[in-house]
Amino acid sequence: MTQASRDDLWRDFPKTAPEFEARFATEDDCRAYWIMARWGDEPACQRCQSKRVGRLMRNGTLFACADCGHQTSLTSGTLLEGTRKPFKTWFRAVFEVASHRNGISAKDLQRIMGFGSYETAWTWLHKLRTALVRPEREPLAADVQVDEALVKAGVNELVLVASEAGGRVRLAHVENNDTDTCKLFATGQIAPDAHVVTDGHAGYNAKSLEKRTHEPKVQTKAERAESDAVQNCHWTISLLKRWLLGTHAGAIRDKHLQAYLDEFAFRHNRRKTKGIGRIAARVIEQLVTRPPRTMRALVDQTRRCRWYGSVKPAPA
Ligand SMILES: [Zn+2]
């Protein structure tokens, strides 16, 4: 997709419910937007990339290639692969997720969408939540505070938080905060030449933070009250706890905590930009570019931290 058409995608995305109803009045409207988001212009054959494709078949969800005969579904190879729901329903859900500034609970989504079950609303929301965060995010840079906190998700779970002076945050649900875990977190989230301020916890050291300059601050309660060295982390954690209890009524399972942390960070890092269109276009962009994951796999995922076992070295 060209940059120009991607820009148009978010400009073109409705900002209000009446605008949404007008812009995406029919399944055809939504399908055209999906095709634009996925292919830029005309759909291409999934097997031979030919643009010579016939008209849409089977309720407009499938097209056949004029060159090789292969049939490509509009959703195959995307996060929406296998869905039986119309695009219009998905687009409406994307709009709700994007337009609620603090996010939306599964209960509210169920009511708005008229879903029969809470479980359906929850799995839809979870799928869209995983689409909020681009896997290859820029690491936090320059001055970064790092701290940890216990967050209630069933039982108390340990969360590492990093906060950049500019205001961006990253959060990771972790097993513990030993040197190896802190190193995984730093490698994935903090630029290799950053300056890192922490408390005196032993897991933050030259082995875990490597070449980053490190300023451990051991503070008494009185000193912290005067000037907290990791104030931004503490603010972030208290906002996070309020959000989990407020929007989500505290109903978080530990195995899904990371997805909520990602959604929180995504919204927090964009809190100053007004942009339903940008958020919605981002979600749809991720829906078309990310490989499929079944609802079952999403619900059953057991990995506690996205960085375990999949650490990519930070760019040098
Ligand atoms: Zn083909």
Side-chain angles (χ1 to χ4, degrees), residues 28-83:
D28 274 347
D29 296 332
C30 301
R31 199 181 292 130
Y33 187 96
W34 178 266
I35 288 170
M36 170 66 100
R38 183 166 183 192
W39 288 284
D41 41 26
E42 296 297 311
C45 171
Q46 207 172 16
R47 186 199 278 161
C48 76
Q49 308 308 320
S50 168
K51 291 274 187 187
R52 298 203 323 126
V53 296
R55 63 183 175 79
L56 294 167
M57 308 176 294
R58 208 179 65 192
N59 299 325
T61 60
L62 199 70
F63 58 85
C65 175
D67 288 321
C68 77
H70 182 73
Q71 294 189 343
T72 302
S73 143
L74 292 184
T75 56
S76 65
T78 76
L79 271 180
L80 290 195
E81 182 173 295
T83 185

Side-chain angles (χ1 to χ4, degrees), residues 122 153-154 173 250-258 260 299:
W122 189 91
H173 179 200
I252 313 288
R253 304 263 311 269
D254 62 340
K255 66 180 177 179
H256 301 127
L257 179 57
Q258 186 61 51
Y260 288 88
V299 175

Side-chain angles (χ1 to χ4, degrees), residues 198-267:
T198 67
D199 60 16
H201 175 71
Y204 310 120
N205 54 50
K207 215 177 149 208
S208 61
L209 296 172
E210 302 184 280
K211 294 214 168 69
R212 299 166 185 89
T213 53
H214 180 208
E215 193 181 337
K217 291 247 183 163
V218 184
Q219 294 186 302
T220 64
K221 217 172 172 181
E223 284 169 340
R224 202 177 309 126
E226 184 71 26
S227 170
D228 186 347
V230 286
Q231 180 74 70
N232 293 344
C233 292
H234 291 151
W235 277 332
T236 303
I237 288 293
S238 83
L239 286 172
L240 169 72
K241 287 181 175 174
R242 214 181 303 162
W243 181 72
L244 291 174
L245 282 173
T247 299
H248 300 293
I252 313 288
R253 304 263 311 269
D254 62 340
K255 66 180 177 179
H256 301 127
L257 179 57
Q258 186 61 51
Y260 288 88
L261 298 180
D262 286 342
E263 180 183 353
F264 174 83
F266 177 86
R267 293 188 185 279

